[in-house]
Amino acid sequence: MRIDVLGPVRARRDDGAPVALGGPRHREVLARLVAAEGRMVTTDTLVTDLWPDPPVRAVGALRTFVAALRRALEPDRPPRTPPRLLVTEGPGYALRLPRADVDAHRFQDALDRARRDPGAVTGLGTELAAWRGAAYADVTGAAWARRERARLEELRLEGVELRARLLLASGDGADLVADLGAHAAEHPWREPAWELLARALHRAGRRADALATLRRARTTLADRLGLDPGPGLRRLETDLLHDAAPAEGAHTAWTAPGVPLGPRTTVALARTLALAGGDALVRSRRDRLAAVRAAERTGDPALTARVIGAYDVPAVWTRADDPEQSRALVAAAERTLAGLGPDAPAALRARLLAAIAVESRSADLTAPERDHARRAAHRAEELARSLADPALLAHALNGVFLHSFTRPGRAADRDATGAELLDLATRHDLPAFAVLGRLVRLQSASALGDLDAAAVHADAADRLAATAEAPLVPVLTGWFRARAAADRSTAPGGPTAADVAARYRAAEDALRTSGMPGLHRGLFPLALLGLRLLHDRPAPTDPRLDWGPYHPWTRPLVLLAQNRPDEARTALTAAPDPPPDHLQEALWSLTAHAAARLADRTAATRAATALRAARTEHAGAATGMLTLGPVARYLREAEECAGEEAGAPG
């Protein structure tokens, strides 16, 4: 079986015979699963992607499409035997095809090989020639398809330029002039296209035409974008004027092996992808690190600093989605700071320091590492203020916010940071940071129990997200609305606990495919536990629940719900102090509650000491996504267990 999506969606058998896939919806389901590259796509995601306003029987219709696709893809599969290609997995479906059997995957793999090995240029040319038009050309109107088309088109353009660069570097390429001329005319803002065309003309013995091309590039960039040519184009023009063109494939300041578009372009693409979420967010993290490593290989620390600092995507959560990569980025920023030396431009130092602060979010950071990151955040803020650079200051304040969880009870401080971010972003047209400011203020109002104010910020964040193309924002605000419903469920006439659990489950389904594992893992069980505590019920004991990083603090209550008090005491004793992040008040409150249930005065004293500064806040609500109820309840339990006077100073 072969599936092609680089053009209209189609399937063919090994002998080339076409497969009748059915109507447009059938092809869109297949295409969406191809885009997931073997990963499971939930039923809810498929329904949302197929229908902006799903009909009542949408899930049933989806199952009908899947059944028809299975018959088309495996017509000879015996009855009552499980499918091998389009499989059911968990709450959704996945396509199990070798990457070589899907044209989009073959193309991406060929591009990756050519980045690493110039000898793979022939295979890249073969896959570029196989494109039949825009990716997913017949899937119109779907947001996911628009994102995939844009991503694959960017990779196609990179592939065209990489192939040309490799052929020129090998001594070939004089016959590329016509193709590169069309490429530059179609994409006049891409400096590598002009550079490669000029090199190909020079290779063909047409030095005057090469110079004319570079001058046309200068005029085009100035007229259309108001930009001067980059250093690579300027250097090539100078060399050609002196009839001393550099060797084909020589590196300019913005190019490096494996990143033919240059690290600057790759980071710009990664930043755009990050705001899209989902698979695009996962890819953006990968592309960003590749660009930083490519920049480091040039040996130019100023270039590396610009590449690291260019990825100023706002971050609202205190746990990294990829801790290993975050450590690699922090290490690269530290090396670059050292390479620049003490006399480096303040703007470069500020961006590197802000990057260190934002990326230092792993829960396993040591205390000295956290202190270092917090100092980096405040030093970046100082430098940004001295430079009067609003975009840089917004990025620095993001780092300050992420390191404001040094102890429980600092919601008011974070709200002040959020208010400054919002004001700064509004005055200087920084929409992504305006969204961040709204989300920070939403979290802070939620922590303080002011749900009306939090709802105002949630609504405003949704409106901003619609214009800033930030689809992750409704995922977060959906969780807030479930959290608000949980709070109302304890009041007469409020939603039932079952209704709230259903809202949390819907929010969980949206979060599952968001590309944010650092936020996702363990959050849903913790929300359910908070809901049960609000209604004075025991912890959920479903063994399928993945408590993720919160397991040490939830386990005592789960064991108590299973009537295993001795094991619960052991687990409570083993639970460490919670890390200083969004959920520290919640985890300390769980410790306090378990200590009171088990009459453990030592644990109760620890919890009471930590929680006193947060007595006016709501446990877990600093996330803006769940709540365990007022901290005061858990503080009172801990103080009574510890035999302390209620309200004793911390």
Side-chain angles (χ1 to χ4, degrees), residues 77 117 150 171 173 181 195 199 226 289 320 324 357 368 456 508 514 546 611 632:
R77 177 167 55 91
D117 176 13
E195 177 194 349
R199 288 182 181 279
L289 185 57
E324 183 178 346
V456 169
E508 153 73 359
S514 67
D546 177 10
L611 288 173

Side-chain angles (χ1 to χ4, degrees), residues 177-231:
V177 170
D179 289 343
L180 287 172
H183 178 64
E186 187 176 358
H187 306 286
W189 58 91
R190 295 179 72 88
E191 293 186 36
W194 293 107
E195 177 194 349
L196 290 164
L197 174 58
R199 288 182 181 279
L201 287 163
H202 184 266
R203 173 62 54 83
R206 298 166 57 183
R207 182 166 72 101
D209 287 340
L211 282 167
T213 292
L214 292 174
R215 287 164 183 157
R216 190 164 70 252
R218 179 188 296 276
T219 301
T220 300
L221 291 169
D223 289 349
R224 296 198 182 189
L225 300 176
L227 296 177
D228 292 327

Side-chain angles (χ1 to χ4, degrees), residues 354-615:
I356 289 169
V358 171
E359 293 300 331
S360 297
R361 291 183 283 144
S362 298
D364 60 351
L365 289 178
T366 64
E369 287 173 329
R370 284 198 180 92
D371 289 341
H372 177 68
R374 188 163 54 253
R375 288 194 298 272
H378 287 289
R379 182 56 182 147
E381 179 191 5
E382 292 171 4
L383 289 169
R385 291 190 190 282
S386 70
L387 293 166
D389 184 333
L392 181 54
L393 178 56
H395 190 34
L397 287 174
N398 195 173
V400 170
F401 159 71
L402 291 169
H403 291 280
S404 63
F405 294 83
T406 50
R407 57 171 175 77
R410 295 194 61 192
D413 296 337
R414 292 192 291 276
D415 189 56
T417 300
E420 182 174 7
L421 265 171
L422 184 56
D423 176 67
L424 188 71
T426 302
R427 286 189 290 111
H428 296 283
D429 192 24
L430 304 171
F433 284 101
V435 171
L436 175 64
R438 287 292 184 185
L439 292 176
V440 170
R441 299 208 69 189
L442 181 159
Q443 291 178 342
S444 304
S446 171
L448 295 168
D450 189 347
L451 294 184
D452 290 339
V456 169
H457 293 304
D459 292 342
D462 283 339
R463 290 192 296 272
L464 283 168
T467 57
E469 296 184 355
L472 291 178
V473 172
V475 175
L476 304 179
T477 55
W479 271 88
F480 163 71
R481 292 182 177 96
R483 171 262 184 271
D487 197 82
R488 295 196 307 273
S489 70
T490 60
T496 67
D499 290 338
V500 176
R503 295 192 191 197
Y504 273 137
R505 190 171 297 279
E508 153 73 359
D509 289 342
L511 183 59
R512 190 191 307 278
T513 57
S514 67
M516 298 186 288
L519 172 60
H520 171 245
R521 189 161 180 240
L523 196 68
F524 177 59
L526 198 60
L528 292 184
L529 173 56
L531 180 61
R532 285 174 169 261
L533 291 175
L534 287 174
H535 291 270
D536 296 317
R537 296 179 61 194
T541 57
D542 187 338
R544 294 172 297 180
L545 291 175
D546 177 10
W547 294 96
Y550 314 118
H551 179 264
W553 299 277
T554 58
R555 182 159 176 74
L557 292 174
V558 172
L559 290 169
L560 278 171
Q562 295 170 335
N563 197 26
R564 297 157 64 184
D566 292 340
E567 294 172 74
R569 287 189 183 88
T570 301
L572 180 60
T573 301
D577 288 357
D581 62 17
H582 278 86
L583 282 159
Q584 59 185 323
E585 290 92 353
L587 302 184
W588 275 120
S589 294
L590 295 179
T591 297
H593 189 59
R597 294 279 306 279
L598 293 165
D600 185 327
R601 294 185 63 181
T602 300
T605 300
R606 286 171 51 225
T609 301
L611 288 173
R612 284 194 184 101
R615 69 171 65 249

Side-chain angles (χ1 to χ4, degrees), residues 250-271:
H251 299 152
T252 67
W254 283 109
T255 61
V259 186
L261 293 181
R264 176 174 56 183
T265 308
T266 302
V267 168
L269 174 60
R271 187 182 188 280

Side-chain angles (χ1 to χ4, degrees), residues 280-355:
L281 175 55
V282 174
R283 293 178 190 282
S284 81
R285 290 195 289 267
R286 179 200 65 190
D287 292 346
R288 179 199 182 188
L289 185 57
V292 170
R293 287 171 172 165
E296 282 199 287
R297 287 197 296 269
T298 69
D300 183 346
L303 166 64
T304 306
R306 294 188 191 99
V307 170
I308 292 173
Y311 190 92
D312 57 351
V313 176
V316 75
W317 193 246
T318 42
R319 285 180 182 267
D321 293 313
D322 188 338
E324 183 178 346
Q325 187 196 79
S326 291
R327 284 188 175 278
L329 289 166
V330 169
E334 296 283 10
R335 289 192 298 269
T336 305
L337 267 176
L340 286 170
D343 298 325
L348 291 185
R349 284 188 290 130
R351 288 204 170 272
L352 289 170
L353 290 165

